Amino acid sequence: MLMTGDQYIESLRKLKTRVYMFGEKVDNWVDHPIIRPSINSVKMTYDLAHDPEYADLMTAKSNLTGEVINRFCHLHQSTDDLRKKVKMQRLLGQKTGSCFQRCVGMDAFNALYSTTYEIDEKYGTEYHKRFVEYLKYVQENDLTVDGAMTDPKGDRSKSPSQQEDPDLYVHVVEKRDDGIVVRGAKAHQTGSINSHEHLIMPTISLPEADKAYAVSFAVPSDVEGLFMIYGRQSCDTRKLEEGADVDLGNKEFGGQEALVVFDDVFVPWERVFMCEEWDFAGMLVERFAGYHRQSYGGCKVGVGDVLIGAAALAADYNGVSKTSHVKDKLIEMTHLNETLYCCGIACSSEGYPTKAGNYEIDMLLANVCKQNVTRFPYEIVRLAEDIAGGLMVTMPSEKDFKSDLKVGKKGETIGELCNKFFKGASGVPTEHRMRILRFIENMALGTAAVGYRTESMHGAGSPQAQRIMIARQGNIEAKKELAKVLAGIK
Ligand code: SF4
Ligand code: FE
């Protein structure tokens, strides 16, 4: 079944998810002005799946049921599927200008499908069968799932079991006949509040002493003992201003992160996909991270497309679009953005089947992709700010532009004066210039900066995490051999 966007919103209303923000419980979080834009972004993943124009990217045939499903619930069956995933993410970045959150679930499905298969192969467990049943349920109901990996981690010099507070990593506190009880938290969880389900994975490879932390499982987002504390974003309270519009930049869409707390949550065995198999924690982490690093070669490129477009419009509205250095800056932004896309497509094209049968990306290229993402969006934002001009951060508020208060000697209002003095290129309404500058401000410094800038740095793993993988995959020894042969060194 493919849900529509409206059905998705209604399905969220049925959940009893516990959400806290600014120290208070939020009961109607679906319609909360700070949260709703992030829900709208996920809604787009449902709406576009019904648009015939995008059916090829947005939907796929399930290898589990043969049914047409949303690609966000799909197990990649080929390199073509991997490329379509990246293209779908670019499309959604273009349509929302933000993080649309649903990818973490898709990446977790693919990582768990192959890893559970290999755990069972070694230990004779039945995690893969359980996971397949779970994924069928997700596909049939077209659910959004928060694939949750990152623990709070406490003192980074200590392993999970060495922490003064054992809860700084999610762990098993009780094993019962009917299931397990888990405790801990996952930090900065993308899309956790508006997900139907949470799919939990360990955050690092683990030694045997930490086997209580080697746990993977799925729970409904409103399961007893689970709650979320919403992460605030720069300039978020602008969304609470009465009649806010222009000052929001991207009014309709946004991203979302939260602290997800597991306060002794019971999980029945049929929803447990790893329990103490510590030697597979690293594999699961690497695979999930690899898929999510591929993802950034799509989503961030789509958002980059929007930012490049906004910078070009700002140039038009400032009357400088024909200036050669502005043209060159737009070329540079495009070059950087398409380089990220090249990496996303390349690591997909070089994909290969796992033992379980779904497709894995090329690890080295996916890590190079994400490493570039930790840099290029910053340069793209820098150039956008350069083209936009300082007005994007010094402009009076929307209320000033609309003010009827007479302050000029000839009786001009604040609104009239703002419109007069902030007029740009002839023929362009001042409001259009305001809108695009606020839009760039929002992406560079406001709520959307979470998804475009800092998330580019730390999402899917901080830069050093990719460098470790690049070191492991780079095969320097083989390269030394190449040089030796040509240099005549025996
Ligand atoms: Fe998807 Fe990108 Fe957001 Fe990750 S950062 S959830 S890949 S949109
Ligand atoms: Fe992310």
Side-chain angles (χ1 to χ4, degrees), residues 89 99-104 190 292 295-296 299-300 455:
Q89 290 167 312
C99 165
F100 35 89
Q101 308 146 57
R102 204 175 166 187
C103 331
V104 281
T190 297
H292 211 56
S295 289
Y296 277 41
C299 75
K300 297 292 176 264
E455 191 176 54

